[in-house]
Each structure stands twice: as C-alpha cells, then as structure tokens.
Amino acid sequence: MSTRSGAASSGPRPTRQRRAAEKQDAMRAAAARLLIDKGPEAVTHRRVAVEAGVPIGSASYYFPGRDGLFQAAVEAAESLRVATARAYAERLTRRSRSARKTASHLVEALYAPHLEPDVVATRLAPMLEATRSRGTAPTMRASWPQLLDVFRTVLDKSGYSGVADEDVVLLRLTVDSGLLYATTAGAEDVLAYAVDQVARLLTRVVPRDEP
C-alpha cells in the first residue's frame, strides 16, 4: 500500500513543476518585454506579474528581490535581442548596398527586436548600467561576440566581406557613441546621426567588395 501511495503522490508532481516552470518562463519573457519597451523602471514585481498573466504574488515568490527580477529581465532581454538580431541579419538579401543603407541595417540589428527614437533612455543607458553590475555583467559580455557576428553577417550581405575584426568592433562602438553624442548634443534625430557616423566610418575605413 505504501508503494501505491508513493506512486500516486508522485504523479502530480511533474505537473506542478511544469506549471511552475511555465510561470517562471512567462515572467522572464514579460520582464524582458517591459525592459525593452519601457526601460528598467517598468520592471517591477506587480507589472511583471500583470504582463505575464500570473497572480501578483508569483513574481515575488519566484524572484524575491528586485535585483533577481532585474537580472532575469536582462538575461531574457539579451537572449531575445541576440536571437532577433540574428534573424534580422539572416533575412537580408545578399546585394551591394550604400554605406548609409548598410549602416542603417547595422543599427536596426543591434537594437533588435525594435528600434525607437528614445533608444538611449530605454535601451542604451540601461544596457551600459547592466555592464557595470556584478549580477548582469556576465550576460552583457556573453552577448557581445554574438552581436559582432550579426554585424559581420550584415556587412557580408551588403558588399563588405572580409572586414577585419578590429573594424567590426569599431563599427559596433560607433553606433553607441553616435547615439550618446547625439543625445548629449541635443540632435533632432539621434538615430539619423548615429547612422551617419557609421556610414562615414564605412566609407573611410572599410573596403567595399569589388563588383
């Protein structure tokens, strides 16, 4: 009898574990969406629970502290960014593009899944902060080479194959520095400014493939 009782009691456990895992996955995805769309201030236990469609107490139960919740948000957001950036680059057709059009694709890919005019406040500033935080810095370091690979794909498909590694890094840095400078200088269109800076660098430094 004890064996039957034990077998019976163990039956529902995988279902409970699966439901718990599904709740956690839903909350991670919700936290990532809030972080990407609204910025760090939106990543609260209440808003994550509402966005995920789970009881309010679930977020606090599975992610007791704000740091743990934010770390989960950064991990999920970076995973989403890398996956959608890679998909964006792979969808591009292979053809010769102008420096400015190529630069525009690089900026779009880097800030996948979507790029908005307030990218500095909602995306870039939180990402820079995440690189300085002990809990989230490893996640940001892990996404760096993957996003460089995305840049290489965009360049290769736009007529800039065989770009040196240091030039790929320079292009990657120019996107963020262009956005930051444009914001500081009060540029009317920070995205256009960053694209222009990347395009200038492409024209001056990166050789185009021979036709």
Side-chain angles (χ1 to χ4, degrees):
M1 178 177 290
S2 60
T3 302
R4 288 196 299 272
S5 175
S9 63
S10 65
R13 187 172 302 167
T15 300
R16 288 197 296 270
Q17 292 174 342
R18 184 170 60 251
R19 288 175 180 170
E22 289 171 352
K23 280 185 180 180
Q24 288 178 291
D25 289 343
M27 286 184 287
R28 288 190 183 95
R33 290 194 299 270
L34 288 168
L35 179 59
I36 290 171
D37 294 341
K38 305 293 184 181
E41 294 77 12
V43 184
T44 65
H45 288 88
R46 175 174 289 275
R47 293 189 69 171
V48 166
V50 170
E51 180 77 10
V54 302
I56 299 296
S58 293
S60 298
Y61 177 79
Y62 290 108
F63 304 100
R66 173 61 167 70
D67 289 346
L69 180 64
F70 186 69
Q71 183 172 334
V74 170
E75 290 170 354
E78 282 298 290
S79 178
L80 176 61
R81 176 163 75 133
V82 169
T84 52
R86 187 177 291 120
Y88 179 96
E90 293 296 339
R91 283 196 304 269
L92 288 178
T93 57
R94 187 178 297 277
R95 63 182 180 84
S96 180
R97 294 183 172 86
S98 68
R100 198 176 193 287
K101 188 63 176 177
T102 302
S104 179
H105 282 306
L106 290 171
V107 176
E108 287 278 355
L110 184 60
Y111 283 97
H114 56 78
L115 181 65
E116 304 294 341
D118 62 350
V119 61
V120 173
T122 59
R123 302 287 303 282
L124 178 53
M127 284 159 47
L128 291 175
E129 181 62 30
T131 64
R132 296 191 292 267
S133 172
R134 181 177 300 177
T136 52
T139 298
M140 304 306 294
R141 284 196 298 269
S143 67
W144 173 269
Q146 298 179 75
L147 291 168
L148 290 181
D149 285 341
V150 168
F151 263 43
R152 290 187 184 93
T153 301
V154 172
L155 291 166
D156 182 63
K157 288 193 168 186
S158 300
Y160 296 90
S161 63
V163 181
D165 289 348
E166 59 267 25
D167 289 333
V168 177
V169 172
L170 185 58
L171 288 165
R172 165 72 176 81
L173 294 173
T174 301
V175 175
D176 290 345
S177 62
L179 289 170
L180 285 172
Y181 179 81
T183 301
T184 302
E188 185 174 343
D189 190 336
V190 297
L191 297 178
Y193 182 89
V195 168
D196 286 343
Q197 299 309 303
V198 176
R200 288 193 184 98
L201 185 61
L202 274 170
T203 302
R204 296 174 183 176
V205 176
V206 181
R208 178 181 286 278
D209 295 346
E210 293 294 332

